[in-house]
Amino acid sequence: MTDATYSLSSLDVDELATRCREMSTRAQPIALDPCHELFRRAIAHDDQQAWAALYTQYKALALHTGRASHLDPLEQDSLVNETFARFSNWVRTPAFTRAFPPMAVLIATLKKCARSTAIDHHRRWEHQQRVAAEATLAHPQTPQSSGDAVIDALFDRERVAFLRRRLQDDAERLVFTLSWELGFTPKEIAARHADIFPNTGAVYRVKERILRRLSEDPTVQAWNL
Amino acid sequence: MTATCIDPSEIREGDLAAYADGEADERVRRHVRRCAHCAALVARYAHTDHTLRAGLYRAACPPAETLARWQLHILSPEEELRVAAHVRACPHCQRECMELEAAGDSAMSLLLDHLKDVTSWLVASRTAAPQPVRGGVPPQQRYRTAELDIFVGTIVVQTQRQLRGRIRPPIPGATVWLMPPDAPPRNCQTDITGYFIFPDVPPGKYSLGFAWQGRAVFLRDVDV
Ligand SMILES: [Zn+2]
Ligand SMILES: [Zn+2]
């Protein structure tokens, strides 16, 4: 360890945060990185003050990578909070703690974290849109009336397993997965699996068998959309 | 529901599911208009279809957080296998994996925005020994993937710098994106021989992207 790293590790978090902020406005990175030291204090010593300084320093980066600059302040905060919560989880795994990673790896990981958080947020939003759209299609006369009954979450494992147990062969399992879990149209399914389905009609035959069985099932009928 | 169909010989299995999707032909549409039994079945199938669409879409997909952990190799071995098998089969997760890969690379992120239908994505690696190629492509830089060679080079024509290149084996009609570090991207198409050209390219380091039929190849640090 050099004298200079000694001097960095002797600084308090406030001083480190100030130097880290100053450094990030310089064109050239310097060899001794106060930002890196902040990461080290936060991760290796679980220093809450260091985490708070990192949050302030890298909030903009998380928002930029998560493409969340257009969100309202509350949503932005929730995205950044979740990003840092994920990040602190990830960097506690042995892959990170065996040898403390260089700055480039920490930043790349934080960016990946921000992106994954944004994607998960987007998926939730997309799901809500989808549920609302399907509910409107399922009840064209009373678009808003089924509000209370709308499924606001995806089917859980038990429901999916329940449905899967009602499938009778490989073709049905394939159509089930491709149609409803992955969202392909029968035309796309026929094109992807021409060996199994010679045309779109062949997909519809399987799909109709599944729909007939499930729509006659009292348990499924009770899952009102 | 009316007890029976007015004429079962007019309707085949699959017709009503197609009708519920708005994909039935005139024969089926005429029948459903006249047959209350089949009309009621169509309504039931459509309702079940909507319920399944809302409840199942991507229900089997691991969260993006898990996809990211998978890329970082911080999942348990069993989980790793499960995620790998899912991603192989799921174009949505493939797409999100690409977005996660691109998180630290603004050129790649930008290119992905332009390539909404791409689900298969490779980063070509630069190889040290360029091979001479015929056809006017200056053999300065060579990139490879398992299936492709991409040659790119700069040539000065009447004081104007051109970036030229070729994909081998040729992929005609691929869209080629040229991404300068601080300017909007430009694009062109490969010709029948897989050849492409960007006129008037200022010197610098560029990223290049090639897209065709849902696939894309990305080249980093191309020197012009
Ligand atoms: Zn009928
Ligand atoms: Zn998936």
Side-chain angles (χ1 to χ4, degrees), chain B residues 4-8 10-11 16 31-32 34-39 41:
Chain B
T4 51
C5 175
I6 55 164
D7 184 358
E10 287 182 359
I11 286 291
L16 298 182
H31 177 88
V32 173
R34 287 163 30 240
C35 177
H37 175 80
C38 288
L41 278 180

Side-chain angles (χ1 to χ4, degrees), chain B residues 38-220:
Chain B
C38 288
L41 278 180
V42 163
R44 272 174 72 161
Y45 294 166
H47 188 271
T48 303
D49 190 26
H50 293 309
T51 304
L52 296 179
R53 280 179 206 228
L56 283 171
Y57 181 67
R58 302 203 65 193
C61 291
E65 174 172 25
T66 307
L67 297 177
R69 283 168 170 268
W70 175 59
Q71 292 181 336
L72 292 169
H73 303 291
I74 52 174
L75 289 177
S76 68
E78 306 81 58
E79 246 189 316
E80 183 142 339
L81 282 176
R82 208 164 41 80
V83 173
H86 176 84
V87 172
R88 263 200 305 280
C90 176
H92 310 292
C93 286
Q94 284 164 16
R95 173 82 198 179
E96 287 172 351
C97 282
M98 291 176 346
E99 287 182 20
L100 289 168
E101 287 289 356
D105 186 326
S106 50
M108 235 165 127
S109 294
L110 186 66
L111 184 62
L112 264 182
D113 285 345
H114 286 283
L115 303 175
K116 294 287 183 211
D117 61 336
V118 167
T119 51
S120 158
W121 181 270
L122 287 170
V123 177
S125 49
R126 192 161 166 175
T127 60
Q131 277 186 353
V133 238
R134 289 192 307 274
V137 179
Q140 289 156 355
Q141 297 165 62
R142 178 190 189 182
Y143 289 79
R144 309 199 76 157
T145 71
E147 294 162 22
L148 290 172
D149 278 311
I150 299 172
F151 300 91
V152 285
T154 316
I155 188 166
V156 179
V157 182
Q158 297 171 342
T159 74
Q160 190 206 70
R161 290 176 90 82
Q162 294 185 342
L163 179 71
R164 295 183 180 186
R166 177 179 275 182
I167 308 182
R168 298 202 325 173
I171 298 171
T175 307
V176 189
W177 291 88
L178 175 72
M179 285 160 296
D182 303 306
R186 294 158 61 180
N187 67 72
C188 70
Q189 308 276 315
T190 54
D191 70 10
I192 192 107
T193 63
Y195 183 82
F196 62 91
I197 179 164
F198 286 100
D200 202 10
V201 181
K205 266 207 192 308
Y206 291 78
S207 300
L208 274 176
F210 299 82
W212 71 100
Q213 294 175 351
R215 302 176 60 188
V217 173
F218 189 75
L219 273 53
R220 278 200 185 94

Side-chain angles (χ1 to χ4, degrees), chain A residues 54-111:
Chain A
L54 286 177
Y55 186 100
T56 310
Q57 180 66 27
Y58 293 106
K59 181 180 174 178
L61 178 104
L63 287 173
H64 176 76
T65 320
R67 300 182 180 185
S69 312
H70 64 284
L71 297 177
D72 70 44
L74 264 178
E75 287 175 310
Q76 289 193 356
D77 281 345
S78 119
L79 190 115
V80 178
N81 284 334
E82 204 173 322
T83 297
F84 273 90
R86 283 181 185 192
F87 181 74
S88 75
N89 251 322
W90 292 6
V91 293
R92 276 172 232 267
T93 51
F96 284 89
T97 48
R98 262 195 299 273
F100 195 72
M103 194 61 182
V105 172
L106 291 166
I107 293 293
T109 307
L110 185 61
K111 285 180 172 175

